[in-house]
Amino acid sequence: QVQLVESGGGLVQPGGSLRLSCAVSGFTSDYYAIHWFRQAPGKEREGVSCIASSDGSMYYAETARGRFTISRDNAKNTVYLQMERLNPEDTAVYYCAIRSWTGCGYWYPIHEYNSWGQGTQVTVSS
């Protein structure tokens, strides 16, 4: 059974940083991508970043480019999202999702992912 568990969210002041983690277990495919999404209150879920298992290629949404960095630790089966220079517009629940036989560069409909994590709340406020 595939399981994704996010952690690392919290309350941070504007301009601050956070590192989110997405621990993956039970996934057997060697070719997949891990996507980070976020959903703010009253808004649709939006893609943030992605990393592919095949070559480690990465992709960022415009809102994340230059401030967020995605990385992975294969030994720990964990993907990280380092977020810098956070602002109140980054406040949202952040989710990671996994999709097999895919790379990065496209945000698929929610139901087309193999599994989602439960989400972690990020609040940027003074």
Side-chain angles (χ1 to χ4, degrees):
Q1 181 178 358
V2 181
Q3 188 174 20
L4 283 73
V5 179
E6 301 98 335
S7 61
L11 174 64
V12 62
Q13 292 187 342
S17 304
L18 279 176
R19 189 179 78 159
L20 306 183
S21 300
C22 174
V24 183
S25 61
F27 197 74
T28 58
S29 174
D30 290 331
Y31 183 52
Y32 59 89
I34 300 290
H35 294 227
W36 281 100
F37 286 81
R38 68 185 184 184
Q39 188 165 18
K43 295 186 177 180
E44 293 186 355
R45 194 169 296 190
E46 63 173 355
V48 176
S49 185
C50 171
I51 189 165
S53 68
S54 57
D55 58 1
S57 59
M58 296 165 282
Y59 182 80
Y60 297 94
E62 186 62 34
T63 54
R65 200 166 294 139
R67 298 188 300 128
F68 295 2
T69 303
I70 193 169
S71 63
R72 63 182 181 177
D73 185 332
N74 291 333
K76 295 182 178 180
N77 292 322
T78 300
V79 171
Y80 303 98
L81 186 68
Q82 179 69 41
M83 304 186 295
E84 307 284 349
R85 303 195 304 278
L86 288 162
N87 59 65
E89 289 70 38
D90 296 314
T91 295
V93 178
Y94 284 71
Y95 300 90
C96 59
I98 192 167
R99 191 175 192 273
S100 58
W101 299 104
T102 188
C104 293
Y106 182 76
W107 313 113
Y108 294 88
I110 292 175
H111 68 274
E112 291 191 17
Y113 288 84
N114 297 84
S115 185
W116 288 81
Q118 82 288 351
T120 185
Q121 176 71 46
V122 172
T123 302
V124 185
S125 176
S126 55

